[in-house]
Amino acid sequence: MAKGQLEFQEEVDAARIENAMWRSWKADGSGDHSGDHSAKTEKLERVRGSIGDSIDFSQIRYPQETRRCRYDDLPTFPVRPNFAGFENALQPASQCVVFDGCPEDPYHPSNTPIYQTSTFVQPSSSEFGPYDYTRSGNPTRTALEKHVAMLEHAAAAFAFSSGMAALHTVTRLLKQGDEILVNEDIYGGMHRLLTQDCAHNGVQVTFVDTTNLTAVAKAITPKTKIIHTESPSNPRMKISDLRKLATLAHQHKVLLSVDSTMMPPVICQPLLLGVDLVVHSATKFFSGHADCTGGLVCVRDPELAHRVAFLQNAEGTALAPFECFLFLRGIKTMWLRVNRAQENTVQIAKALAKHPRIKEVFYPGPGGCSSEALRIHNSQSSGCGCIISFTTGSVSFSRRFLDASRLFKTTVSFGSVNSLGEMPCTMSHASIPAEERTLPADLVRLSVGIEDVRDLLQDLQRALDFASSQKPPPEHDGYDSRFEDLPVVPRPPDEEERPRKSLSEWLLSEVEGPSTSQMLSGAVPNPNDQNKH
């Protein structure tokens, strides 16, 4: 290898190691030498002295007798790559699939194993290995956090037990007397956290329309430390210009945090727009199957990642190994799921906009927002997402519509393969006091899934028809998976001599037959006794 190539490789290796050794880097007095080649090389040689020329992250040790930093300054997980400047040659669909979560595993599994353990045996009583306790770090969680960081172009990503735990960690970056500016159209759970937790801990919470840069600039004070927003917002789907917000925030030395749950990384990567923190409720699109709960915080700056890592460990809010495995599996199909759902969303939004009973449709696509908002959204995202909100002009009509729908299940969440619907004022945003709520009471939010769009359109049309009439929706229409009108198997022994029964008729005859207590008392022979020996 030529001298120039060798120096470049050392520079790359040193940068990778430096990023994940924030604590010792700060505590040993080295200072900030991010541009100092000699300092990076010195650090690289120090690490190589303990692990050899091959940088095997799993073999890094932290001796306790000779350490020059505090215990709390030790990394809680092995060093990992900084993906902030990473340029992936693969397309988004491939990025979701092509990822090895455990390249150091000697058995080379094709899928990341579930390290279902609470503790890890240490090399000795005087030094730590790469992991010691799952609250602090776990190989399955490391794999998930690395994959998410790669997708988001983050210096580091952190997995939490829920989306609210992730949002709470962002607020914990504030101290008493600090101020956070929040978009006025915020998720109900975040509103509750801010007004009933942060405000009681000495943090000033100010709501502002983040789509209005002039209003944001006027709201910033010397106490403002974080601006937090959503784009699109949940559920009004209002669009904020993340690039201009980031520029404005940084002019005042303020961090910009974005809850990008509605825009997963296959659609939008806010860190590339200048955002400092990106939060996801991974329960939605990262899972995609409504079978696990989790949250993510993605950070652009290594020093900020240092603090988030400390809070994750100190407060015990990290995601468990099994859920990490489920999210790793969900990521593999995220592009496919989101792409299909977006195609359905476009057609459903068009159909709703044409219906005479629908007053207004909100979504970041044609006819769902202003032309300027659509221009901004398209400049920072590659798709419209899978969420549509609309008003009907009547609370009772909206309720009848949802109650009549069969494919759009009434559920508070979104982002699943199944289509879902809800009324935010009485469900996801019910925790916001009515006098503080900025949402129309008749607002309906739909999360569009991956079903055949023809079935979804038919279900919506039927639900709208029922909502427009005074007829009650049918109780049994084949969508509840009970199939009560079908014959049953296995059939009773004398079924050949009887007319064929449907499932509902058979269940009714069983209910009207001898009771269990009668069979147990011996008054009626138990048919199962013939199988006993």
Side-chain angles (χ1 to χ4, degrees), residues 368-381:
C369 59
S370 69
S371 58
E372 177 61 14
L374 182 58
R375 183 196 65 78
I376 294 172
H377 179 79
N378 289 339
S379 73
Q380 58 195 27
S381 305

Side-chain angles (χ1 to χ4, degrees), residues 16 19 32 36 40 137 145 166 222 225 252 313 316 320 365 371 373 384 387 394 426 438 477 519 532-533:
R16 294 177 68 194
N19 174 59
D32 182 9
D36 191 335
K40 288 184 176 180
E145 292 175 340
K225 302 302 178 184
H252 295 270
N313 180 45
S371 58
C384 64
I387 312 299
S394 167
T426 56
T438 60
D477 49 16
M519 289 190 290
K532 297 181 180 179
H533 302 284

Side-chain angles (χ1 to χ4, degrees), residues 64-86:
Q64 294 300 292
E65 295 179 350
T66 59
R67 63 179 168 88
R68 292 178 290 172
C69 62
R70 299 177 304 149
Y71 172 82
D72 285 340
D73 291 325
L74 293 173
T76 59
F77 48 78
V79 297
R80 58 180 69 169
N82 178 339
F83 289 102
F86 178 65

Side-chain angles (χ1 to χ4, degrees), residues 152 162-163 166 259-261 263-265 278-282 286 294-298:
E152 286 284 4
S162 68
D259 185 337
S260 192
T261 299
M263 293 283 117
V278 172
V279 183
H280 289 280
S281 173
F286 280 84
L296 300 164
V297 175
C298 308

Side-chain angles (χ1 to χ4, degrees), residues 282-284 287 289-294 322-323 326-327:
T283 310
K284 279 68 172 179
S287 164
H289 297 81
D291 56 5
C292 50
T293 303
F322 183 69
E323 281 71 21
L326 291 177
F327 285 121

